[in-house]
């Protein structure tokens, strides 16, 4: 056996040993991660559950049969569903443009999509309400047509669309980038037109990501507060959302009822997130760039 072979077998690590990781080992890294998640996510969720558990069944039935709370649930879920569907269509177009075309200002638009992540939602709500008010830059052109955005149900949809659009774009974009152009070129060489290429080749690949983006946008919209309260008008039975009802209960020092209502939204969000994770695992979708 040569000197090289004797050195390799005498030293199990040899020249093929893995380099030492830059970050700490698994035990320390996992421990720090678990501690962080416990302090930031798990403990607040546990306290919410414990606080909500203090409510009696009679009180729970009283609050959850309140017509005002039921109306806020209807407004929240309907507005979140409509905003997510619209974001799905607009987000698909934006992702398509960013992936398939080269033009001036492309990087600027790509950066602008992430603005809702950096902009405080309260600032977004104030800006949108000012723009779409009856005397605003955009609202003044809609008012003569009888279209009211600010302080109406449509304002809630607009605010939710603004805050959840990046989830759709950043979910569809990496899937579009992974589609090899050879398949489309082969279909075109066989006589397929653009519509056939899209619906038979592109759409089946991006459809799971499309559903995933809509689901993330819906979950994000359910708990939106800052952007909504400044543009919704907050009229009972009409433009009140669930997050505002939680804030109202807290203002009345009714922390038990606030915790119970907040826990219901938390449970719905967790169920949707679980379904999203199962969908992502089933289709083996790549992680979105800005997914939380």
């Amino acid at each position: 056996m040569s000197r090289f072979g004797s050195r390799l077998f005498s030293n199990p690590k040899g020249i093929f040993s893995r380099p030492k990781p830059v970050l700490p080992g698994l035990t320390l890294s996992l421990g720090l991660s678990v501690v962080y998640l416990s302090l930031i996510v798990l403990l607040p969720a546990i306290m919410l559950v414990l606080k909500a558990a203090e409510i009696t069944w009679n009180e729970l039935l009283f609050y959850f049969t309140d017509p005002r709370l039921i109306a806020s649930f209807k407004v929240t879920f309907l507005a979140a569903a409509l905003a997510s569907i619209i974001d799905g269509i607009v987000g698909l177009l934006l992702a398509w443009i960013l992936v398939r075309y080269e033009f001036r200002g492309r990087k600027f638009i790509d950066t602008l999509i992430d603005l809702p992540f950096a902009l405080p939602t309260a600032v977004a709500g104030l800006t949108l309400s000012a723009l779409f008010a009856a005397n605003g830059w955009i609202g003044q052109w809609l008012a003569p047509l009888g279209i009211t955005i600010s302080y109406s149900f449509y304002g809630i949809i607009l605010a939710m669309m603004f805050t959840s659009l990046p989830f759709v774009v950043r979910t569809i974009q990496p899937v579009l980038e992974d589609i090899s152009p050879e398949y489309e070129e082969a279909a075109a060489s066989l006589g397929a037109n653009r519509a056939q290429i899209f619906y038979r080749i592109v759409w089946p690949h991006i459809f799971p990501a499309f559903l995933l983006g809509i689901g993330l946008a819906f979950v994000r919209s359910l708990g939106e507060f800052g952007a909504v309260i400044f543009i919704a008008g907050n009229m009972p039975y009409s433009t009140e959302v669930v997050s505002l009802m939680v804030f109202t209960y807290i203002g009345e020092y009714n922390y038990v009822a606030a915790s119970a209502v907040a826990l219901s939204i938390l449970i719905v969000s967790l169920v949707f997130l679980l379904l999203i994770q199962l969908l992502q695992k089933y289709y083996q979708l790549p992680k979105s760039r800005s997914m939380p």
Side-chain angles (χ1 to χ4, degrees):
M1 184 179 296
S2 62
R3 179 181 298 180
F4 173 79
S6 62
R7 289 178 57 190
L8 179 60
F9 286 101
S10 61
N11 182 10
K13 294 184 178 180
I15 61 174
F16 299 105
S17 61
R18 294 182 179 179
K20 293 183 179 181
V22 178
L23 296 178
L26 174 62
T27 303
L28 182 58
S29 299
L30 181 61
L32 292 175
S33 302
V34 171
V35 170
Y36 176 82
L37 289 175
S38 300
L39 293 176
I40 303 301
V41 179
L42 187 59
L43 286 180
I46 292 176
M47 291 302 300
L48 179 63
V49 174
L50 294 177
K51 193 67 178 179
E54 297 178 4
I55 192 171
T56 63
W57 285 106
N58 292 332
E59 292 176 336
L60 187 66
L61 183 64
F62 173 79
Y63 287 114
F64 278 87
T65 55
D66 183 9
R68 182 178 176 183
L69 181 60
I70 295 175
S72 67
F73 271 105
K74 291 180 179 179
V75 170
T76 302
F77 279 90
L78 181 59
L82 293 175
S84 302
I85 293 173
I86 297 173
D87 275 346
I89 299 173
V90 177
L92 175 60
L93 294 176
L94 284 173
W96 182 272
I97 292 173
L98 292 174
V99 173
R100 295 303 179 95
Y101 298 99
E102 293 286 344
F103 54 92
R104 290 184 178 180
R106 176 177 173 272
K107 292 183 178 180
F108 174 74
I109 295 177
D110 194 16
T111 304
L112 197 63
I113 290 175
D114 292 329
L115 180 62
F117 287 139
L119 188 68
T121 55
V123 176
L126 287 172
T127 305
L128 291 174
S129 61
L131 283 174
F132 289 91
N135 57 348
W137 289 356
I138 301 177
Q140 63 181 342
W141 302 102
L142 299 177
L145 302 176
I147 302 175
T148 303
I149 302 297
S150 293
Y151 318 119
S152 68
F153 177 75
Y154 302 106
I156 300 176
I157 298 176
L158 181 63
M160 291 181 176
M161 287 171 52
F162 176 83
T163 56
S164 59
L165 178 62
F167 290 92
V168 180
V169 178
R170 296 312 187 199
T171 304
I172 300 176
Q173 189 174 356
V175 179
L176 277 174
E177 293 174 348
D178 288 341
I179 298 178
S180 178
E182 285 80 5
Y183 298 105
E184 300 175 46
E185 294 172 358
S189 65
L190 294 175
N193 55 37
R194 293 184 178 180
Q196 291 174 330
I197 292 174
F198 178 80
Y199 285 108
R200 294 184 178 273
I201 297 178
V202 179
W203 180 245
H205 285 83
I206 66 175
F207 180 69
F210 179 77
L211 290 180
L212 181 63
I214 290 179
L216 289 173
F218 180 77
V219 173
R220 175 65 180 85
S221 299
L222 285 180
E224 181 54 44
F225 177 71
V228 170
I229 61 173
F230 288 102
I231 196 175
N234 308 323
M235 293 179 288
Y237 305 98
S238 179
T239 59
E240 277 186 334
V241 293
V242 177
S243 56
L244 178 62
M245 291 298 298
V246 174
F247 182 77
T248 302
Y249 286 139
I250 294 176
E252 297 172 352
Y253 300 99
N254 194 349
Y255 299 110
V256 176
S259 300
V261 176
L263 181 61
S264 64
I265 293 296
L266 176 62
I267 293 174
V268 173
S269 300
L270 288 177
V271 171
F272 269 91
L273 288 176
L274 178 60
L275 294 176
I276 289 171
Q277 292 296 328
L278 294 176
L279 178 67
Q280 188 173 11
K281 183 178 181 180
Y282 179 78
Y283 288 102
Q284 296 297 319
L285 295 176
K287 297 288 185 179
S288 65
R289 295 178 177 179
S290 301
M291 190 180 299

